[in-house]
Amino acid sequence: MSENIKVSIIIPVHNVEKYIDDTINSVLNQSYKNWEMILVDDCSSDNSVKVIEKYLNDERIKLIKQDENVRAALTRNRGIEEAAGDYIAFLDSDDIWIPEKLEKQLKFIKEHDCAFSFTAYEFGNEAAQPTGKIVHVPSKLTYKKALSRTVIFTSTVIFDLTKIDKEMIKMVNVPSEDTATWWKILRNGYDAYGLEEVLTIYRRPPKTLSSNKKVAIKRIWNLYRNVEKLNIFSSLYNFVFWAFRATFRRL
């Protein structure tokens, strides 16, 4: 497709010196070249900033340093505020994009004329080597369907800013901020369109926060009851299906 569309890629950074080289290079290796990369450092205490500074000779790459640690949601929101592109894509600082990720997803967005898109992805080990465990995605996801499945992975998402306002896609500052944000957007009348092709590798080091099942359970229940304000019956209904799908997705 024509490269007249600029994509702003938002990458929150916090103590990822082991991984950030791979993440940045997966963007540099994209077949689609019209992008800006906005890395927002959330007060890293390791050498993450020094690693990033090696790449700042590329005018497409920008580094923003936060004055205080505000965690992932507000860090991404700072990147959104600074974005100058027509589209916004999220990429976590330890994940990897397949080289054709932007090109294929932008083509998909144009074909479906959608504001909100996401793709399938594959789990990787600590070295981001694919494990063969793929998370497949539905062709379309509504708010009602999304409540019982957390299938939208942050590093696969792209928004078309000609169809959705920046304020709408700003992250909700709660635990599991990404899921809360997708639900907010879907609740406001947008549908999410899924591209059933693996274009992202989700690096999953051992003992990550997201792998802590007790934490995940508490977070999803909090979203149902205190963020979405679902009654106890709706919360239980969605929770049962969420737990079933989450268990098989991560095996």
Side-chain angles (χ1 to χ4, degrees), residues 156-190:
T156 75
V157 168
I158 296 182
F159 293 103
D160 181 350
L161 293 183
T162 68
K163 296 181 171 62
I164 190 168
D165 190 80
K166 272 187 180 184
E167 289 300 314
M168 177 62 67
I169 68 174
K170 282 188 174 180
M171 292 275 174
V172 182
N173 191 23
V174 296
S176 293
E177 72 282 346
D178 46 1
T179 298
T181 302
W182 315 149
W183 290 356
K184 175 191 70 171
I185 294 166
L186 296 170
R187 184 178 359 100
N188 276 276
Y190 296 91

Side-chain angles (χ1 to χ4, degrees), residues 67-127:
D67 294 328
E68 58 180 324
N69 179 263
V70 295
R71 301 182 69 85
L74 298 183
T75 299
R76 289 195 188 97
N77 290 349
R78 175 72 186 280
I80 292 170
E81 290 168 0
E82 299 289 336
D86 307 290
Y87 288 57
I88 281 182
F90 292 125
L91 175 58
D92 284 348
S93 54
D94 53 357
D95 294 328
I96 303 294
W97 278 353
I98 303 303
E100 296 79 24
K101 196 267 187 188
L102 287 178
E103 180 182 358
K104 289 185 175 182
Q105 195 166 357
L106 292 174
K107 181 180 178 182
F108 175 83
I109 292 169
K110 183 176 181 180
E111 289 172 349
H112 291 80
D113 194 27
C114 60
F116 181 1
S117 71
F118 62 106
T119 79
Y121 61 96
E122 185 171 358
F123 285 114
N125 60 19
E126 187 165 11

Side-chain angles (χ1 to χ4, degrees), residues 11 13 16-29 37 39 47-55 61 91-96 203:
I11 305 178
V13 175
V16 286
E17 62 174 312
K18 289 171 58 179
Y19 308 125
I20 192 64
D21 265 319
D22 290 343
T23 300
I24 292 173
N25 279 300
S26 79
V27 177
L28 290 171
N29 291 332
M37 187 192 312
L39 298 116
N47 290 315
S48 295
V49 168
K50 288 185 179 180
V51 174
I52 293 167
E53 286 174 342
K54 298 185 303 183
Y55 297 93
I61 301 176
L91 175 58
D92 284 348
S93 54
D94 53 357
D95 294 328
I96 303 294
R203 190 196 303 263

Side-chain angles (χ1 to χ4, degrees), residues 229-248:
K229 308 295 185 183
L230 300 183
N231 63 42
I232 189 69
F233 300 106
S234 293
S235 297
L236 285 169
Y237 174 84
N238 285 298
F239 177 79
V240 168
F241 285 99
W242 169 84
F244 175 81
R245 292 185 173 105
T247 297
F248 280 92

